[in-house]
Amino acid sequence: MAANIGGTSCDYVRGDVTPLRERVETWVVPGLDSVGAMLLGQNEGQAAVVATKLNTVGACNTWIETLEAMIGTVVTIENDLGENNAACLITGLGVPEKTAAYQPGTSKTLKVEMEVRFVILA
């Protein structure tokens, strides 16, 4: 299992990428003694995952730019558990959180975590 977003390798991708779920909308009408409800079908598609990359500063900056270039495109997202969805429209990214992450014996000196927001289309 290789966590990735649109084919871009990630060390970790935490979050749910399962298909659409049915959504129920409820409302209250002032003056009436009841609650209304309506089943709206499978359109609860907004989701987010947290992607993590451990590498050199330059490689992490390139990784951020690659993810930024995916905004507005439909990609496959695969999380740490091997769950994937091939119909994810990337709608935005969170602010990259950079932390020093020295690992003896490797060139990995930076850890970047970033939220990836998307809409599941199917």
Side-chain angles (χ1 to χ4, degrees), residues 99-112:
T99 309
Y102 175 70
Q103 293 183 340
T106 72
S107 61
K108 296 178 180 180
T109 57
L110 187 67
K111 173 185 173 185
V112 179

Side-chain angles (χ1 to χ4, degrees), residues 72-93:
T73 61
V74 178
V75 300
T76 298
I77 297 178
E78 183 174 356
N79 66 12
D80 294 346
L81 302 174
E83 301 168 336
N84 64 58
N85 194 314
C88 299
L89 172 65
I90 305 294
T91 58
L93 303 173

Side-chain angles (χ1 to χ4, degrees), residues 26-88:
T26 60
W27 64 89
V28 176
V29 179
L32 297 179
D33 294 338
S34 189
V35 174
M38 180 184 292
L39 182 63
L40 297 177
Q42 295 184 342
N43 63 348
E44 187 62 50
Q46 295 188 19
V49 294
V50 176
T52 304
K53 185 70 173 174
L54 293 149
N55 214 317
T56 62
V57 174
C60 286
N61 288 335
T62 301
W63 178 77
I64 293 167
E65 291 169 3
T66 302
L67 292 180
E68 288 172 343
M70 290 183 195
I71 295 173
T73 61
V74 178
V75 300
T76 298
I77 297 178
E78 183 174 356
N79 66 12
D80 294 346
L81 302 174
E83 301 168 336
N84 64 58
N85 194 314
C88 299

